[in-house]
Amino acid sequence: AMNAAWGMISDVDKVTICLDARHKTVKNIMEKKEFTVSMADAKNVVAADYVGIVSGNDVPDKVSKTGWHVTKSEFVDAPIFEELPMTLECKMLTFDKETELLTAKIINISVDESILNEKGKIDLDKFKPIAYDSVNHDYRVLGEKVGNAFKDGKQLG
């Protein structure tokens, strides 16, 4: 497990992440060509930060210190952390050693029912996903609704 600060959904079914090849997790990805990306939430900020500041090269049992429970994905040869409510299950497509950009195809998305609304869609108020603020070195909770996509802008037209 590691904490990747820079990544994005780069297409409907792809994810792109900037990864330092020195990480043990990256070495594992290069070997297996499959991995998971779990979205951390406010409840797991301490454990998520821990896996980001401690190297698996130095502390091989670092996941056990988080209190997270691991199960194997049904779709790829990689772990799912049960406490993290959303996981992208991925197969590597490319890794550019020069830019350290990894691109992968999303094979499956696992979502815990506890973060779904009555329509079965992800509710950010229940999820409370965190993002890294690289300017202030903070973790920020995402989720407050401030507008309606593809609707509010019509006021100007």
Side-chain angles (χ1 to χ4, degrees), residues 128-148:
K128 297 184 185 328
I130 60 172
Y132 174 58
D133 172 357
S134 62
V135 173
N136 297 296
H137 300 288
D138 294 332
Y139 292 106
R140 308 293 299 191
V141 173
L142 304 177
E144 179 184 354
K145 181 178 176 179
V146 296
N148 300 291

Side-chain angles (χ1 to χ4, degrees), residues 27-103:
K27 292 174 186 169
N28 291 342
I29 292 170
M30 294 303 120
E31 179 182 318
K32 296 184 180 235
K33 309 294 190 231
E34 298 181 340
F35 62 98
T36 56
V37 177
S38 297
M39 309 303 166
D41 58 2
K43 291 185 286 191
N44 285 284
V45 69
V46 171
D49 190 53
Y50 176 77
V51 299
I53 60 177
V54 175
S55 172
N57 292 319
D58 301 325
V59 182
D61 66 338
K62 77 176 189 176
V63 173
S64 67
K65 294 182 183 213
T66 65
W68 291 341
H69 299 90
V70 178
T71 57
K72 186 184 178 308
S73 163
E74 294 178 33
F75 298 92
V76 296
D77 188 12
I80 291 180
F81 301 101
E82 295 173 19
E83 287 73 17
L84 300 177
M86 183 175 153
T87 302
L88 307 177
E89 298 162 78
C90 305
K91 290 191 179 198
M92 187 178 92
L93 296 172
T94 63
F95 181 70
D96 184 316
K97 291 180 182 178
E98 188 174 312
T99 64
E100 296 187 314
L101 287 177
L102 178 142
T103 301

Side-chain angles (χ1 to χ4, degrees), residues 7-37:
M8 67 177 177
I9 304 294
S10 54
D11 202 344
V12 174
D13 65 345
K14 292 182 183 67
V15 62
T16 299
I17 309 167
C18 185
L19 296 173
D20 185 331
R22 294 174 293 179
H23 289 288
K24 183 175 181 181
T25 299
V26 177
K27 292 174 186 169
N28 291 342
I29 292 170
M30 294 303 120
E31 179 182 318
K32 296 184 180 235
K33 309 294 190 231
E34 298 181 340
F35 62 98
T36 56
V37 177

